[in-house]
Amino acid sequence: AATEWNVSVWGKRRAFTEHVEKLAELVSEKTNGEFTMNVSYGGLSKNRENLDGISIGAFEMAQFCAGYHRDKNRVITVLELPFLGVENLEQEVAVSKAVYAHPAATEEMAQWNAKLLMTSPMPQYNLVGTGEARKTLSDFEGMRVRATGGIGNAFAAVGAVPTSVTATEAYQAMEGGVVDTVAFAQHAHLSFGTINQATWWTANLNPGTVNCPVVVNIDAYESLSDEHREALDSSVQESLDHYLANYAELLGRWDSVLAEKNVEKVEIADDVIAEFRAKAADPIRDEWIKDMEAQGLPGQELYDLVVKALADAKM
Amino acid sequence: MEPIEIGLWVSGGMLVFVLLGMRVAFAAGLAGFVGLVWLRWNGFDYDPDRFWKAVEISVKVAGLTPHSKVSAQVLSLIPVFILIGYLAYHAKLTVALFEAAKRWIAWVPGGLAVATVFATAGFAAVSGASVATAAVFARIAIPEMLKVGYNKAFAAGVVAAGGTLASLIPPSAILVIYAIIVEQDVGKLLLAGFIPGVFSAFVYAILIIGLALGFKNIGPPVGGFTWRERFESLPPALPIVAVVVIIIFFVYNPFGDAWGTATEGGAIGAFIIFCMALYRGMRWAKLKEALLETAKLTVMIFTIIWGVLIYVRFLGFAKLPVAFSDWITGLEMAPLTILICILLAYAVLGMFMDAIGMLLLTLPVVYPAVMALNGGELVSAADSAFGMSGPMCAIWFGILVVKMAEFCLITPPIGLNCFVVAGVRDDLTVQDVFRGVTPFFIADGITIALLVAFPGIVLWLPSLAS
Amino acid sequence: MAGSAAVLEDSSLLSRLDRTLLPLEKFCALLSGLAIFSLMFLAVYSVTGRKFFASPMMGYVDYIEAAMPIIAIMGVSYVQRDGTHIRMDMLVSVLKGRVLWLFELISVLLILLLIVALTWGAWEHFDRSFDCARPLCSRDSSIDVGIPIWPSKLVVPFAFAILSARLILQAVGYGRALVLGLENPVAVPLTLTVAEQAEIEAKSLMGED
Ligand code: NA
Ligand code: NA
């Protein structure tokens, strides 16, 4: 029988949603158009309510970011801890996969009637900024930065003030001086126009990234016919591969974009990064583990899992 | 049944309920809720066992919408703008403005009427609502015009028409609402309203001067103010200038970075007017009254917003906006012709409906169609049908529909501004006011035609800011 | 349009219930007004901090978003009480007597149906974000400073519950008028012509009511 799924994402079609689009395409292909996905960009829900929508059964698949609502998804915020040392998207996929498979993560998502399907891997969130380039920790003091989740905490740890205007408002917030700097992945700097406001970009600060899983409604998933479920499951890796290839292309163009927009590429000195890491990474991680353990979640175990998965991926 | 069919039936049903007099906000919310249930049960092939499941899902989707939709920082602009208007009244800025306008410009033919238009334009800069502006000036300006022998109906018409300027000149609640529905930059839309608002005021003024030269009973010039008297009239009206400058500089600073967001500019403006009102003797009793009135108007507007957004949620599931814009772009007509037809449809609809309700109910479907007509959200000016980029088209269309909605405030049979003016003045009937406001239809027609023909009038200022 | 219509009163139980509910509704509306007023100060404080002291306010956006439901929804019943929610009254303004009460009754009952559903749905939305097995009972938190969102979500079912009570009173009021064929029933906003409404609006603006 024909199955039609509604999929809730937001913004407009961009590198960040390419795996979802690819998944829809592959599933339809493999089932001769019997299983279709209707990807809606904001028409079905606000992004911060996507997990609620899944829980209700309003739509069958959705994307969201862990940092939007930490208390909804405490477990996977481990992936947003600053300075985990993830170097590329392949490693990001590997660590996400490991955490998503952990019972604590599946159980917490099951409370929302959600099953983690795949991540939306993103490169490290580097800063674009206006005015003088900020190159030392003292430059970060009092800096108004658009950064969410663990990255926001990291900047707060060195005296900056995270201000989470939504991604769509980031451009105007920068123009209006509500924020001086915006931490985004490269595709978002392009699609939300923050690169057009910028005079500099930190090439190597690499403070961390956000984690944005794609989830499916468990009831909808389980009521799929074996053939359709197989079509879905078997398309996940292929969709991620497509996403990675597409993103690699975008990163390849990045330097020329910087040159074209006349944006200075700032290399932060190693000792500054080391100092930043010491001030932000360790205390925030320890705090996070303590907080999770206090709530009965295996914080230490999850962190160790990330470290191990990352080490494996780097081999 | 196809989801689109359900979308059409439910939308039709909603319009019937609105026409039958159900509160607009709730008619929209109910249509959205019923539509969600219908759509979901349709998906379950009308299986009786799963009807309650369909209801449960719909209840939860509809039930999260009010909180979800109102919890947005950008929406805080609306109550702040409304607050400015009420505080401005207590700060006695209206009288000060009219006095200054009179002393400076009443010497031209039709002088007091021209002064009234510019005073309403000035008040528009602190008031977000047209009807309030008309009500206030009916008290202040009409008696003065009658004193020097103006035709009664004409004097009333000037005030009713002048009141409409409030929704174009920032701050404007209705422009904020437009920006939110279509998800465009609020600051740029507010900037965009400024020149067309002032432009409209000048078109009104030219019309009045022309009429005064042609007909004797329009009203003589009022002169005889000394320069000293003129300059003395300025300080009491000065906070208005401060507020305008602040709001504009928060959105767009020609000398450098803008100062902040529109919301912050509005809040600082409100604060200045609040201090002024305190200075002019407002105390807790009056403040409480102003806060209650602000809350009432705010809640009324927000109820329409979340009610309509439940309906919009349903439309999203029914895919109606996509279907409508496909249909519009498939028409064998020039895009500009279609756009003009859409604007004329608004003129007809506006005769019967309140402006905010009208925009909220129609834009979710009409706006995507207009954007598609121009070539899509991301189109560049060179590839577009109207010669402007996607975001610019959104701004232009916004100003056009708001001007259209304002035009409807003075057209029979439900021209609200005319009712308000007649309501304030015991010696005027609604028919009198409609008669007096007729010349301004022509002025508004010319203004709208010029805004369509020369989009630069709308787009110049916002294009500077980007 | 803002501006209150007439709600008549007498010594009947219905009218007494109407007057009992009114202070609560008015208090909620005033809370909304005060929240708007605070918003103004919050923005002034935040801008001053940012512009002149280079110390921007942490969590500014979170606090505004948390306050928005109070601003936007808390007063919803007060506005329904006197018929301020806008509608097109071309038709109802020419109706009279029992036909008018029938129209109003159906309209209020349909609104009641919607609001009861929304009260339930809004409660569920609150309930999903509320879990007292966790710190601060929070199962949903704001983006910057991580404050719990459940108090802000609770505002909605609370306000809607009051509105439901108001709608029940109005339904009884219109039902009574329909059955008894009353001309000027108590506890319901009486339909005014556009002109009468405009006059009240203008007067309220002039601060004369
Ligand atoms: Na205005
Ligand atoms: Na009209």
Side-chain angles (χ1 to χ4, degrees), chain A residues 48 66-72 148-149 153 164, chain C residues 59-66 138-150 152-153:
Chain A
R48 277 189 246 172
Y68 289 171
H69 33 52
R70 282 163 262 171
D71 288 357
K72 278 184 185 168
T148 60
N153 293 341
S164 297
Chain C
Y60 171 59
V61 176
D62 286 10
Y63 297 124
I64 291 184
E65 290 192 349
S138 174
R139 203 162 164 253
D140 185 10
S141 48
S142 71
I143 190 163
D144 280 336
V145 282
I147 49 173
I149 294 186
W150 63 263
S152 146
K153 285 185 178 168

Side-chain angles (χ1 to χ4, degrees), chain A residues 62-266:
Chain A
Q63 186 180 31
F64 66 88
C65 294
Y68 289 171
H69 33 52
R70 282 163 262 171
D71 288 357
K72 278 184 185 168
N73 42 244
R74 298 162 300 173
V75 172
I76 58 172
T77 56
V78 69
L79 293 162
E80 296 193 345
L81 286 175
F83 295 109
L84 286 176
V86 176
E87 290 159 344
N88 55 42
L89 296 189
E90 284 76 9
Q91 292 171 15
E92 185 65 34
V93 171
V95 290
S96 296
K97 210 170 188 173
V99 171
Y100 290 2
H102 191 281
T106 50
E107 193 190 303
E108 189 173 49
M109 280 299 108
Q111 291 172 16
W112 294 94
N113 209 2
K115 172 184 152 57
L116 291 154
L117 193 68
M118 58 182 172
T119 186
S120 315
M122 283 204 276
Q124 296 287 304
Y125 266 36
N126 276 294
L127 296 178
V128 300
T130 51
E132 279 292 294
R134 298 176 189 253
K135 295 181 176 170
T136 66
L137 287 198
S138 57
D139 290 344
F140 288 162
E141 241 163 76
M143 171 178 82
R144 300 180 296 276
V145 55
R146 190 271 177 199
T148 60
I151 309 164
N153 293 341
F155 282 112
V158 292
V161 179
T163 308
S164 297
V165 291
T166 63
T168 34
E169 283 171 328
Y171 176 86
Q172 210 227 331
M174 217 172 158
E175 189 183 32
V178 174
V179 297
D180 319 292
T181 50
V182 174
F184 267 156
Q186 284 89 333
H187 80 273
H189 281 311
L190 287 174
S191 82
F192 294 110
T194 40
I195 194 69
N196 303 322
Q197 281 284 330
T199 51
W200 51 274
W201 174 73
T202 60
N204 65 336
L205 191 60
N206 298 343
T209 187
V210 300
N211 192 266
C212 306
V214 175
V215 294
V216 292
N217 174 286
I218 289 179
D219 298 334
Y221 180 78
E222 285 176 352
S223 66
L224 286 176
S225 68
D226 290 344
E227 185 207 342
H228 288 178
R229 194 174 322 116
E230 166 58 24
L232 177 64
D233 290 341
S234 67
S235 302
V236 168
Q237 190 54 50
E238 226 177 309
S239 304
L240 279 170
D241 290 344
H242 170 77
Y243 181 105
L244 294 177
N246 181 63
Y247 215 114
E249 204 177 294
L250 187 144
L251 292 180
R253 278 189 285 123
W254 182 248
D255 276 343
S256 62
V257 170
L258 292 180
E260 177 196 323
K261 312 257 180 202
N262 202 13
V263 174
E264 182 192 353
K265 193 168 165 179
V266 175

Side-chain angles (χ1 to χ4, degrees), chain A residues 4 6 12 38 42-46 49 52 56-59 169 172 175-176 178, chain B residues 40 57 60-61 64 68 71 74 185 258-261 264 313 316-317 319 378 465:
Chain A
E4 190 184 355
N6 280 312
K12 48 195 176 194
N38 160 44
L44 308 181
S45 172
K46 184 161 126 179
E49 255 84 50
D52 290 88
I56 292 167
F59 32 79
E169 283 171 328
Q172 210 227 331
E175 189 183 32
V178 174
Chain B
R40 185 66 56 171
I57 294 175
K60 289 178 177 175
V61 171
L64 73 73
S68 163
S71 305
V74 57
D185 188 304
W259 294 354
T261 62
E264 290 169 343
R313 215 21 111 220
F317 280 98
K319 307 180 191 81
L378 302 172

Side-chain angles (χ1 to χ4, degrees), chain B residues 27 55 62 75-77 97 121 129 175 180-181 188 223 233 249 269 274 281 284 305 332 379 381 386 393 418 453:
Chain B
V55 171
L75 284 172
S76 62
L77 200 48
L97 260 176
L175 273 176
I180 285 153
I181 317 176
K188 290 218 178 75
S233 72
F249 270 64
F274 168 67
W284 170 242
I305 291 179
E332 299 273 325
V379 73
F386 301 131
C393 180
C418 298

Side-chain angles (χ1 to χ4, degrees), chain B residues 68-429:
Chain B
S68 163
K69 285 300 178 177
V70 305
S71 305
Q73 188 224 350
V74 57
L75 284 172
S76 62
L77 200 48
I78 293 172
V80 168
F81 281 2
I82 294 171
L83 181 64
I84 293 185
Y86 281 105
L87 290 177
Y89 174 74
H90 289 288
K92 301 187 171 63
L93 285 173
T94 44
V95 180
L97 260 176
F98 183 67
E99 198 53 40
K102 188 172 84 181
R103 292 183 191 184
W104 282 85
I105 40 186
W107 54 269
V108 302
L112 275 183
V114 176
T116 303
V117 164
F118 284 108
T120 52
F123 187 64
V126 284
S127 167
S130 295
V131 181
T133 311
V136 167
F137 279 92
R139 274 293 164 92
I140 302 168
I142 294 180
E144 299 240 6
M145 286 191 265
L146 296 188
K147 235 187 285 172
V148 295
Y150 269 70
N151 174 301
K152 204 167 63 173
F154 181 72
V158 171
V159 171
T164 68
L165 298 172
S167 292
L168 279 176
I169 297 176
S172 154
I174 198 163
L175 273 176
V176 176
I177 291 168
Y178 174 86
I180 285 153
I181 317 176
V182 307
E183 299 181 327
Q184 290 294 328
D185 188 304
V186 177
K188 290 218 178 75
L189 262 156
L190 289 174
L191 269 188
F194 187 73
I195 291 179
V198 174
F199 184 79
S200 294
F202 274 97
V203 174
Y204 286 168
I206 291 167
L207 176 89
I208 293 167
I209 294 171
L211 287 172
L213 292 174
F215 303 92
K216 283 283 159 267
N217 62 347
I218 291 296
V222 178
F225 293 106
T226 64
W227 284 103
R228 188 195 163 90
E229 282 171 324
R230 284 180 179 168
F231 281 105
E232 274 172 358
S233 72
L234 289 182
L238 219 54
I240 303 254
V241 183
V243 171
V244 178
V245 169
I246 283 172
I247 291 180
I248 294 212
F249 270 64
F250 262 85
V251 181
Y252 164 61
N253 174 4
F255 311 107
D257 287 340
W259 294 354
T261 62
T263 317
E264 290 169 343
I268 305 244
F271 183 71
I272 292 173
I273 305 275
F274 168 67
C275 295
M276 182 84 187
L278 276 186
Y279 175 72
R280 292 270 161 90
M282 183 184 69
R283 291 297 173 263
W284 170 242
K286 288 283 172 203
L287 175 64
K288 186 178 157 192
E289 196 182 295
L291 289 182
L292 263 179
E293 287 302 318
T294 305
K296 251 166 99 169
L297 192 54
T298 301
V299 169
M300 191 272 273
I301 291 175
F302 272 102
T303 309
I304 309 180
I305 291 179
W306 62 251
V308 168
L309 287 171
I310 293 176
Y311 166 67
V312 169
R313 215 21 111 220
F314 154 71
L315 287 184
F317 280 98
K319 307 180 191 81
L320 195 65
V322 183
F324 184 72
S325 79
D326 285 350
W327 176 70
I328 287 276
T329 46
L331 291 176
E332 299 273 325
M333 272 197 269
L336 193 62
T337 316
I338 300 177
L339 182 79
I340 291 170
C341 290
I342 290 175
L343 291 177
L344 290 177
Y346 272 115
V348 175
L349 201 58
M351 288 182 182
F352 305 98
M353 275 189 81
D354 170 85
I356 292 173
M358 174 175 92
L359 292 189
L360 274 163
L361 285 180
T362 56
L363 282 176
V365 177
V366 173
Y367 170 77
V370 171
M371 293 302 278
L373 212 52
N374 186 45
E377 302 253 354
L378 302 172
V379 73
S380 69
D383 301 330
S384 67
F386 301 131
M388 60 190 81
S389 67
M392 284 295 156
C393 180
I395 293 173
W396 182 54
F397 181 64
I399 299 298
L400 289 179
V401 287
V402 169
K403 180 68 198 174
M404 218 64 212
E406 291 308 292
F407 174 54
C408 295
L409 284 176
I410 53 170
T411 57
I414 317 279
L416 215 46
N417 271 11
C418 298
F419 281 95
V420 167
V421 171
V424 174
R425 304 283 313 179
D426 294 335
D427 53 339
L428 278 165
T429 66

